[in-house]
């Protein structure tokens, strides 16, 4: 979603800002812009479209200066066009601002300013912030100073209802940037003789490996050689921590891969190993998850588990539900994070809540976390981004350690989340009925998974051929049962988000209850049918599709050659325990989506309308 990069230092600001925006490009955006202070002027360049278009503008007409702010916009209020792109300015044109989030009361705030003669140029909710701050700054009078700017920012933010991550600069205070956050991430990146503001430290990883993640209602004044952090209300912030950013600029490089999505699909054996590292204990025949910070007694008292998340994270939670019910015999329910706080489910004091989020910044999941914590429930995060808002607000949980995921389509984060749910189920199960030998068997099965994923990846070229065969389909149906029903949902999501082919995912046996009506020769069905307890029932559903001339692609287990007799195309995965099969069966579906999207010429890593991290409701 929208991205912010701000720079103040000794170097030329525009190349650093453009480089930062490029590193945030994967998050999804539809316009981009920057502003620098160049001597006595603010230079602004902004446009609809890609960052390259902005870079071309800067090349044509340089924006010099050693201080600047920049932005990628994902439209919420007002179309994606040059005028609505950020930065926005106050009435004097001397204050520039970029904003992530939504100002809900912008209409009410705008009315008195319009009456006072302010001219608004855009249709955005953001522009009001620039006018409000500029107005307060001008009204305050006196000497130009960072304190005067800071107080104007504070005064404006106190009037705002909504969410924001902002970076502000003023021509009369050229030696400082002001940043603030509420509900939308912002961090201060620390360098030598230069400092940064960014919505994600990944943006400035080439220049700064230390970051301070601002908390809601923090305000930061950032200068070339220092910074101060306070709160919107006034005074200094209670505490802040300098975090070492645990990846390097190499981690976010494409290397020899044509797309991040393919790179990340191939990183899955590694991601699963990293999710397991140090967490399996042969001695306990179980899992050790120190981050959840619960005693065996407390774990024993858990009588119900609720999992919440969005999109792919929600799907991993659905597999988690099967895992926790079957391995730990605990009632478990999964709810879309966006519905969690509106559903108001009855939960008792021994309910344990898991919030799953790769980015740790998804606003719907964050809202669910806050609602759960407000009700006093123990709420644990399963996040990839260390020090993300969800991870911090949960205070405890399990980090995924999957490394940066850049492709908008979640891939390695899904298999990493499945691995973590297996560990959680093992931990909860071993405290209950799972025997020592059951535990050891699960450990052995888990340890074998990365190598089995490698075997699936070896079939990428063959899957590419299958993708080419079906790329012209008008739609696709994805079906699976039990542990692989959520994999069908995930397969359909992956295919539709990057190919734009209409797809549906269902439990196989639901076919005859309605959507069999869709089956026809140009509507292929993808069956996830490993050699498990559901195999015969899946075969039955495949027969029903074949009887209606529907093409079938099956994901089956090596050795089940009978599948090839009824399915048109079969992709085989190595045998494994039923409950681990999603870790293998999802991989061919990711590759099928990827190759189909490439065949169709889609923008795989940045599919239309989507953002990597959804920080608006
Ligand atoms: O960062 P999160 O895991 O919270 O993101 C949740 C969803 O927005 C995300 O999984 C989305 O559905 C992906 N585009 C799926 O590929």
């Amino acid at each position: 979603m929208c991205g912010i990069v701000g720079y103040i230092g000794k170097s030329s600001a525009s190349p650093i800002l453009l480089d930062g925006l490029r590193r945030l490009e994967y998050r999804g955006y539809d316009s981009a812009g920057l502003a620098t202070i160049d001597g006595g002027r603010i230079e602004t360049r902004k446009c609809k479209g890609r960052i390259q278009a902005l870079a071309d503008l800067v090349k044509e007409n340089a924006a010099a200066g050693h201080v600047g702010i920049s932005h990628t916009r994902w439209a919420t209020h007002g179309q994606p066009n040059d005028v609505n792109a950020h930065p926005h300015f106050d009435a004097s044109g001397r204050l520039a601002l970029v904003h992530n989030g939504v100002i809900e009361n912008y209409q009410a705030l705008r009315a008195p300013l319009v009456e006072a003669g302010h001219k608004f140029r855009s249709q955005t909710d953001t522009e009001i912030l620039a006018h409000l701050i500029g107005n307060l700054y001008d009204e305050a009078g006196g000497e130009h100073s960072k304190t005067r700017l800071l107080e104007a920012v504070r005064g404006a933010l106190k009037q705002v209802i909504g969410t924001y991550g902002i970076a502000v600069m003023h021509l009369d205070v050229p030696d400082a940037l002001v940043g603030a956050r509420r509900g939308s991430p912002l961090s201060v990146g620390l360098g030598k003789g230069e400092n940064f503001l960014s919505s994600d430290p990944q943006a400035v990883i080439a220049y700064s490996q230390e970051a301070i993640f601002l908390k809601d209602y923090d305000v930061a004044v950032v200068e070339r050689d220092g910074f101060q952090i306070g709160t919107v209300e006034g005074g200094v912030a209670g505490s802040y921590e300098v975090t070492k950013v645990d990846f390097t600029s190499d981690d976010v490089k494409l290397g020899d891969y044509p797309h991040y999505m393919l790179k990340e699909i191939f990183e899955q054996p590694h991601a699963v190993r990293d999710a397991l590292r140090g967490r399996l204990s042969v001695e306990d025949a179980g899992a050790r998850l120190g981050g959840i910070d619960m005693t065996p007694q407390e774990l024993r008292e858990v009588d119900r588990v609720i999992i919440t998340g969005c999109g792919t994270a929600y799907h991993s939670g659905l597999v988690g539900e099967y895992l926790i019910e079957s391995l730990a015999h605990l009632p478990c329910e999964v709810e879309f994070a966006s519905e969690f706080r509106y559903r108001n489910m009855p939960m008792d004091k021994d309910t344990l809540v898991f919030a799953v989020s790769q980015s740790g910044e998804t606003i719907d999941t964050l809202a669910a976390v806050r609602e759960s914590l407000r009700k006093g429930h123990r709420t644990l995060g399963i996040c990839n981004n260390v020090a993300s808002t969800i991870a911090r607000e949960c205070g405890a949980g399990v980090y995924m350690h999957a490394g940066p995921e850049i492709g908008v389509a979640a891939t390695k984060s899904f298999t990493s989340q499945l691995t973590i749910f297996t560990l959680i189920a093992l931990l909860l199960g071993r405290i209950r009925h799972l025997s020592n030998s059951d535990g050891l068997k699960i450990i052995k099965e888990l340890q074998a998974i990365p190598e089995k994923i490698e075997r699936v990846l070896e079939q990428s070229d063959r899957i590419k051929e299958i993708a080419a065969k079906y790329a012209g389909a008008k739609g696709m149906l994805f079906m699976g049962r039990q542990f692989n029903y959520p994999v069908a949902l995930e397969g359909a999501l992956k295919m539709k988000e990057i190919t734009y082919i209409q797809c549906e995912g269902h439990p196989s046996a639901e076919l005859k209850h309605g959507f069999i009506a869709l089956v026809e020769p140009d509507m292929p069905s993808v069956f996830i049918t490993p050699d498990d307890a559901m195999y015969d029932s899946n075969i039955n559903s495949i027969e029903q599709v074949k009887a209606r001339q529907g093409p079938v692609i099956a994901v089956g287990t090596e050795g089940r050659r009978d599948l090839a007799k009824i399915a048109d195309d079969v992709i085989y995965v190595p045998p494994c325990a039923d409950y681990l099969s999603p870790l293998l069966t999802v991989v061919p579906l990711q590759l099928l989506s990827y190759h189909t999207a490439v065949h169709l010429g889609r923008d795989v890593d940045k599919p239309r309308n989507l953002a990597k991290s959804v920080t608006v409701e």
Side-chain angles (χ1 to χ4, degrees):
M1 202 139 272
C2 308
I4 290 176
V5 186
Y7 174 78
I8 184 158
K10 51 194 179 313
S11 305
S12 179
S14 335
I16 293 174
L17 297 176
L18 284 168
D19 181 50
L21 292 183
R22 281 203 177 94
R23 288 174 200 269
L24 296 181
E25 204 171 9
Y26 71 95
R27 298 167 71 102
Y29 68 100
D30 39 50
S31 52
L34 61 78
T36 58
I37 295 182
D38 181 9
R41 305 155 45 103
I42 293 191
E43 291 289 343
T44 317
R45 309 283 178 267
K46 53 183 193 172
C47 59
K48 182 183 169 188
R50 293 292 178 207
I51 289 162
Q52 190 50 46
L54 177 66
D56 292 344
L57 274 182
V58 173
K59 203 167 155 198
E60 268 167 40
N61 200 348
H66 304 282
V67 51
I69 55 177
S70 63
H71 190 255
T72 45
R73 173 174 186 253
W74 187 85
T76 58
H77 294 62
Q79 285 183 7
N81 59 30
D82 295 358
V83 176
N84 289 335
H86 301 204
H88 290 286
F89 287 81
D90 72 337
S92 74
R94 302 177 76 76
L95 178 140
L97 171 143
V98 293
H99 164 232
N100 291 351
V102 174
I103 306 301
E104 289 166 20
N105 60 338
Y106 77 103
Q107 306 267 29
L109 293 172
R110 188 149 72 166
L113 289 181
V114 170
E115 218 162 275
H118 284 244
K119 297 259 179 302
F120 286 80
R121 297 168 193 90
S122 74
Q123 293 116 36
T124 64
D125 55 325
T126 296
E127 195 179 354
I128 182 61
L129 265 182
H131 280 256
L132 266 183
I133 299 170
N135 204 40
L136 289 170
Y137 184 87
D138 293 342
E139 277 176 5
E143 228 177 86
H144 294 298
S145 71
K146 60 184 186 204
T147 311
R148 181 169 150 190
L149 181 59
L150 171 65
E151 290 312 320
V153 170
R154 280 183 167 142
L157 294 181
K158 281 183 201 160
Q159 301 174 47
V160 157
I161 299 172
T163 53
Y164 53 80
I166 56 169
V168 186
M169 65 180 198
H170 199 297
L171 193 51
D172 297 326
V173 192
D175 50 1
L177 293 175
V178 179
R181 75 155 274 172
R182 178 180 180 265
S184 204
L186 195 73
S187 60
V188 177
L190 306 179
K192 287 202 175 70
E194 56 184 6
N195 287 312
F196 306 81
L197 280 171
S198 71
S199 50
D200 181 340
Q202 202 163 295
V204 294
I205 190 72
Y207 317 95
S208 157
Q209 281 79 48
E210 286 186 333
I212 296 162
F213 293 88
L214 298 186
K215 296 190 285 298
D216 276 354
Y217 302 107
D218 278 354
V219 190
V221 177
V222 180
E223 295 167 272
R224 188 175 148 165
D225 292 308
F227 64 91
Q228 298 119 49
I229 298 176
T231 64
V232 170
E233 279 310 313
V236 287
S239 66
Y240 61 81
E241 210 179 303
V242 178
T243 304
K244 197 111 193 101
V245 181
D246 69 349
F247 52 84
T248 66
S249 50
D250 282 347
D251 291 331
V252 290
K253 279 191 184 140
L254 252 184
D256 292 333
Y257 289 94
H259 299 101
Y260 281 107
M261 183 181 176
L262 190 65
K263 176 177 184 246
E264 286 152 12
I265 290 172
F266 274 79
E267 280 172 351
Q268 290 181 107
H270 194 63
V272 170
R273 281 188 192 104
D274 283 348
L276 291 175
R277 198 176 310 284
R279 290 171 169 168
L280 288 174
S281 163
V282 173
E283 197 187 330
D284 299 347
R288 288 186 178 168
L289 296 169
I292 65 173
D293 203 19
M294 287 171 77
T295 63
Q297 172 79 27
E298 287 171 326
L299 286 166
R300 173 85 223 176
E301 280 163 10
V302 171
D303 64 6
R304 186 168 171 229
V305 174
I306 306 279
I307 302 170
T308 192
C310 304
T312 291
Y314 171 80
H315 294 156
S316 80
L318 289 175
V319 180
E321 179 181 21
Y322 280 96
L323 285 163
I324 289 168
E325 285 178 356
S326 65
L327 299 184
H329 288 187
L330 267 174
C332 180
E333 228 178 308
V334 191
E335 183 53 278
F336 285 111
S338 53
E339 287 300 308
F340 183 93
R341 67 180 152 153
Y342 300 109
R343 182 170 158 199
N344 204 13
M345 19 176 153
M347 286 154 54
D348 67 23
K349 68 177 179 39
D350 295 319
T351 302
L352 180 61
V353 179
F354 285 101
V356 193
S357 173
Q358 186 283 132
S359 62
E361 300 293 351
T362 301
I363 199 87
D364 289 326
T365 313
L366 179 59
V369 165
R370 286 179 176 162
E371 178 68 4
S372 174
L373 288 171
R374 195 187 59 75
K375 288 181 172 166
H377 294 291
R378 195 187 284 264
T379 308
L380 305 177
I382 299 177
C383 298
N384 194 29
N385 275 351
V386 176
S388 58
T389 310
I390 293 173
R392 270 189 293 123
E393 295 207 6
C394 287
V398 190
Y399 275 123
M400 291 159 54
H401 300 308
E405 189 178 68
I406 310 286
V408 163
T411 52
K412 63 176 176 174
S413 61
F414 181 71
T415 39
S416 179
Q417 287 157 5
L418 298 190
T419 309
I420 286 165
F421 275 122
T422 315
L423 291 171
I424 290 168
L426 174 60
L427 178 73
L428 292 169
R430 282 287 289 132
I431 283 176
R432 293 173 173 78
H433 71 286
L434 277 183
S435 68
N436 191 287
S437 62
D438 290 336
L440 288 177
K441 202 167 147 225
I442 295 169
I443 290 179
K444 209 165 152 216
E445 292 270 7
L446 258 173
Q447 284 170 327
I449 288 294
E451 188 267 329
K452 291 183 182 180
I453 296 178
E454 273 157 16
R455 275 160 58 192
V456 181
L457 293 171
E458 284 164 13
Q459 301 174 67
S460 182
D461 286 344
R462 152 119 181 87
I463 296 170
K464 187 175 174 180
E465 285 166 19
I466 299 174
K469 182 168 162 190
Y470 296 101
K474 76 167 184 198
M476 287 193 193
L477 303 171
F478 287 75
M479 286 163 265
R481 298 201 69 168
Q482 212 195 24
F483 290 99
N484 283 289
Y485 155 51
V487 176
L489 299 182
E490 176 61 8
L493 173 63
K494 222 75 312 169
M495 185 63 83
K496 70 184 136 191
E497 71 179 329
I498 60 165
T499 66
Y500 319 145
I501 295 173
Q502 172 73 41
C503 297
E504 295 185 11
H506 294 278
S508 315
E510 283 295 300
L511 178 68
K512 55 195 178 292
H513 296 294
F515 68 94
I516 196 166
L518 298 176
V519 172
E520 55 179 324
D522 58 357
M523 176 70 81
S525 292
V526 181
F527 276 90
I528 302 114
T529 177
D531 193 6
D532 60 9
M534 296 288 116
Y535 184 75
D536 291 338
S537 137
N538 270 317
I539 294 295
N540 198 21
S541 302
I542 294 179
E543 298 282 13
Q544 290 167 17
V545 169
K546 289 306 301 174
R548 287 158 185 87
Q549 286 80 51
V552 169
I553 306 164
V555 175
T557 306
E558 284 168 4
R560 286 311 303 237
R561 294 287 149 198
D562 49 333
L563 250 190
K565 292 195 190 118
I566 47 169
D568 298 85
D569 291 281
V570 186
I571 306 161
Y572 290 103
V573 300
C576 69
D578 291 12
Y579 54 87
L580 294 181
S581 61
L583 280 159
L584 303 184
T585 54
V586 75
V587 179
L589 304 187
Q590 296 166 341
L591 285 167
L592 190 66
S593 310
Y594 170 78
H595 288 303
T596 307
V598 172
H599 187 90
L600 293 172
R602 306 292 190 232
D603 192 347
V604 177
D605 286 333
K606 297 186 282 293
R608 71 182 180 202
N609 302 341
L610 282 169
K612 181 66 181 164
S613 170
V614 183
T615 50
V616 293
E617 249 196 273

